[in-house]
Amino acid sequence: MNLYDSILKNMQVGLDVWCMENTDSSASFKLIFSNHAAEQITGTTAKDFLGKTLTDAIPDAVTTGLAKCCADVVRSGKAKALGDVPYRSEHVAQQLFSVKAFPVFR
């Protein structure tokens, strides 16, 4: 494991990395990385959602506009604070998460 992998995996801030597979579709985000802090916060494990779509992880992502906001960030190339985003799962009662989206280009 290199230094940057170690930092990302062990930092105390939850981090999920989503890849937009098709820039024409805001529903095309797939999870490519999730750190331990994100797992603890959401009550899930990365293996449950790696490779799955944003709507698999957050079913309301399209109807709440979250997917569109993230797609706009990718298309514009500019970071954006999305504010408080509601999240709930079978493991976690509904909570609000402060979310900042930023583009990362390969």
Side-chain angles (χ1 to χ4, degrees), residues 1 5 8 11-12 19 29-30 32 40 60 63-64 75 99 106:
M1 178 182 313
D5 288 339
L8 291 174
M11 69 184 195
Q12 299 302 301
C19 178
F29 285 96
K30 288 197 176 174
I32 60 171
Q40 288 182 313
D60 297 335
T63 58
T64 62
R75 291 177 188 132
V99 175
R106 298 181 200 200

Side-chain angles (χ1 to χ4, degrees), residues 16-52:
D16 283 342
V17 178
W18 298 87
C19 178
M20 189 174 188
E21 304 260 308
N22 176 355
T23 56
D24 293 328
S25 173
S26 60
S28 71
F29 285 96
K30 288 197 176 174
L31 185 65
I32 60 171
F33 176 83
S34 184
N35 71 359
H36 184 67
E39 292 177 328
Q40 288 182 313
I41 291 166
T42 61
T44 62
T45 62
K47 69 178 181 175
D48 292 337
F49 290 104
L50 282 176
K52 302 279 173 100

Side-chain angles (χ1 to χ4, degrees), residues 79-83 98-102:
K80 181 177 182 181
L82 303 183
S98 179
V99 175
K100 183 170 184 176
F102 54 94

Side-chain angles (χ1 to χ4, degrees), residues 43-102:
T44 62
T45 62
K47 69 178 181 175
D48 292 337
F49 290 104
L50 282 176
K52 302 279 173 100
T53 66
L54 181 61
T55 54
D56 289 333
I58 307 171
D60 297 335
V62 172
T63 58
T64 62
L66 175 62
K68 182 187 178 313
C69 287
C70 292
D72 290 346
V73 166
V74 171
R75 291 177 188 132
S76 73
K78 296 181 182 177
K80 181 177 182 181
L82 303 183
D84 293 333
V85 174
Y87 174 82
R88 73 177 181 292
S89 74
E90 61 190 54
H91 307 287
V92 178
Q94 182 156 329
Q95 299 179 39
L96 292 176
F97 292 94
S98 179
V99 175
K100 183 170 184 176
F102 54 94

